[in-house]
Amino acid sequence: MASLRRVKVLLVLNLIAVAGFVLFLAKCRPITSKSGDSFHDIHPRAEVANLTAHGISSIQDAVLKRLSLLEDIVYRQLNGLSKSLGLIEGYGGRGKGGLPATLSPEEEEKAKGPHEKYGYNSYLSEKISLDRSIPDYRPTKCKELKYGKDLPQISIIFIFVNEALSVILRSVHSAVNHTPAPLLKEIILVDDNSDEEELKAPLEEYVNKRYPGLVKVVRNQKREGLIRARIEGWKAATGQVTGFFDAHVEFTAGWAEPVLSRIQENRKRVILPSIDNIKQDNFEVQRYENSAHGYSWELWCMYISPPKDWWDAGDPSLPIRTPAMIGCSFVVNRKFFGEIGLLDPGMDVYGGENIELGIKV
């Protein structure tokens, strides 16, 4: 709390200084000008014209320089929050650009236990920045598309139980970094009664200080299971659109606009963002080709080739209609989701929601 107060005091003092500097230049004008040994009055209009021609750019430069300094100060303060957890912020370091991250032989020995516990290399995850850059695999045409400024806001809901703290926070950082601020209503973390100590006070204190007012933590008092945990996240959401994700994801730039645009066009659509793979051993980002979702004869959800009419259109930026869905990442209008009955809270069969929601929609 002390560091946060220091940040606030620094911000206030610096903003006052900047405001005073601008007011001083605007109000305080020299009355006379020296030419040899004599003085003469300056015409106010001439002074204003001179300020307009030569002074505005220097004022802007000074303000931008001061704001840049403020940003550096605030970032150093906030970065200290992650350091206290043994984690890293910034866009460099291991795994940058979605490349494989590695450990030294000594570190490999330390990583064995956590790897078996979580099913992925959580020790290595702690060495990878919470803000690491990842490749943008979108088709070129997707990057050229333009969207309106009146898109609905989204509440991003992450569900977890005993997940590694670094992986959860990388999901949060990634969502904040790659979702336009006007479109991101909130991020809701639903803890399904985890017993890991780092997921209690350390997690809550970090998100409250790092993203005050943006990230909410919902705690289930007993283990409810994936479906009921999602419903609790939906209840806490206030955005017009809700997005449900596992808490071990990373977003790319431009992911939100096409999703929200499709739902804005038709509130009864459920959107499944295209997903790639993050390898569990080295956190390398592995590209997956465009695909639809279908069912095997056992009704397991699986990747299938997009339908023929999609291929015939020859436009990889077009959405793909699909008969099935996977539950780990989907986005839906909040009210419409309620109208169709959400998900069956009694569903306790792994993958059951893939069938239920696909049929309902």
Side-chain angles (χ1 to χ4, degrees), residues 118-302:
Y118 292 107
Y120 51 74
N121 197 334
S122 61
Y123 183 88
L124 174 59
S125 175
E126 295 174 357
K127 312 300 179 184
I128 298 172
S129 173
L130 301 178
D131 300 300
R132 74 152 176 175
S133 58
I134 59 175
D136 185 349
Y137 287 138
R138 289 177 298 164
T140 301
K141 189 169 181 179
C142 287
K143 301 175 186 179
E144 298 171 350
L145 295 174
K146 305 297 181 183
Y147 300 94
K149 296 181 179 180
D150 60 340
L151 295 174
Q153 288 186 312
I154 185 171
S155 297
I156 295 178
I157 301 168
F158 292 119
I159 313 298
F160 67 90
V161 56
N162 292 332
E163 192 95 55
L165 177 61
S166 62
V167 170
I168 295 173
L169 293 183
R170 189 173 299 109
S171 300
V172 172
H173 275 247
S174 177
V176 174
N177 292 342
H178 295 114
T179 308
L183 302 181
L184 182 56
K185 177 69 173 180
E186 64 207 347
I187 294 175
I188 299 172
L189 302 178
V190 182
D191 173 16
D192 195 22
N193 199 233
S194 299
D195 49 34
E196 295 285 343
E197 286 301 319
E198 66 177 9
L199 300 181
K200 297 179 181 178
L203 168 64
E204 200 146 347
E205 290 174 5
Y206 177 87
V207 297
N208 287 341
K209 291 179 181 178
R210 186 67 177 82
Y211 300 113
L214 181 64
V215 180
K216 303 176 183 178
V217 180
V218 175
R219 307 277 188 183
N220 288 341
Q221 297 307 305
K222 62 185 181 71
R223 190 69 50 81
E224 297 288 355
L226 179 62
I227 301 304
R228 287 189 292 275
R230 283 186 181 139
I231 294 173
E232 290 303 312
W234 177 84
K235 290 177 181 177
T238 60
Q240 186 177 343
V241 174
T242 47
F244 297 85
F245 299 92
D246 287 349
H248 41 256
V249 300
E250 294 179 53
F251 295 84
T252 57
W255 80 273
E257 294 90 330
V259 169
L260 297 175
S261 177
R262 294 285 293 165
I263 292 177
Q264 186 182 52
E265 291 171 1
N266 184 346
R267 65 187 292 271
K268 295 185 177 181
R269 288 173 176 155
V270 174
I271 308 298
L272 312 177
S274 177
I275 60 174
D276 299 303
N277 182 44
I278 301 174
K279 294 185 178 180
Q280 62 182 18
D281 294 325
N282 57 20
F283 287 82
E284 177 186 4
V285 178
Q286 178 186 23
R287 181 177 184 176
Y288 279 175
E289 294 299 327
N290 285 333
S291 61
H293 301 284
Y295 298 114
S296 68
W297 285 108
E298 293 81 19
L299 290 184
W300 282 105
C301 190
M302 57 184 290

